[in-house]
Amino acid sequence: MQLVFDFPINPKFSFDNFVVCGGNETALRFARIVASDNTKNLLYIHGPSGSGKTHLLNALAGDLCLKKRKTTISIISFKEVDDIYDGEYLAEAVSKLASRFRDEPALMVDDIHLLPDNPHVRSEFWQLFNDFHDTCRKIVITGSSDPRKLPNLDDHLASRLLWGLAARMDVSDDESLRMIMKKLAGDRNIILPNDVIDYIINHTRRELQSLINFLEHVHRHSMTTGRKISLKLVREIIQ
């Protein structure tokens, strides 16, 4: 997914269709607080890939679009940092990051753990963070772990990220994955028996995107063969 873009309001990423479980309920609660409370302007969400961080970031962006009566809001992911700098990380008279967020109501950043080890980029981001913080605008950032453990984050920025609300997300436990699988199946009008869900969880990669891909593969196979989704069918596909 391209994550350097102007965010259009998209019901695919909303608070209402976010699957709540023990591993993400605190992050969801904090995201709703930041969305609704004008005194809470800083949120840092961290956790492994596939835990729902990007969903919450986009849900918050969509909520801000509605509140600010905007059709788009800028989001960047440091997965796509080369798209911002065109592969050239030289000192600029005008920060390319600042240009990206000019006149935006919020600083929305995904994958801060991929911030490059480049002094110009780090300096630009530090200045941008302070500009938003000093003007009491919303700052929502996601990363893979506690900011104090991220290799290319300066100590002062890591500390600042913990001044606001911070929450870890982890949906790797069986019950969370069951809830997510049921929601994914329901969204696609797929009948997915409980024994099939448990078998998929225990015999495929437990990363969320892998589960989504496998579920869609099973559904296509079921449709093309005219067979209902059953434990026998899933076993055949996996074997």
Side-chain angles (χ1 to χ4, degrees), residues 97-116:
L97 286 178
S99 297
R100 173 75 63 171
F101 286 98
R102 183 175 292 114
D103 300 324
E104 290 290 350
L107 177 61
M108 313 290 285
V109 177
D110 211 5
D111 304 306
I112 189 65
H113 54 282
L114 298 178
L115 179 74

Side-chain angles (χ1 to χ4, degrees), residues 137-154:
R137 285 178 287 173
K138 304 288 185 184
I139 300 173
V140 185
I141 297 175
T142 78
S144 62
S145 65
D146 184 301
R148 293 165 295 190
K149 298 178 180 178
L150 298 180
N152 296 331
L153 226 60
D154 296 328

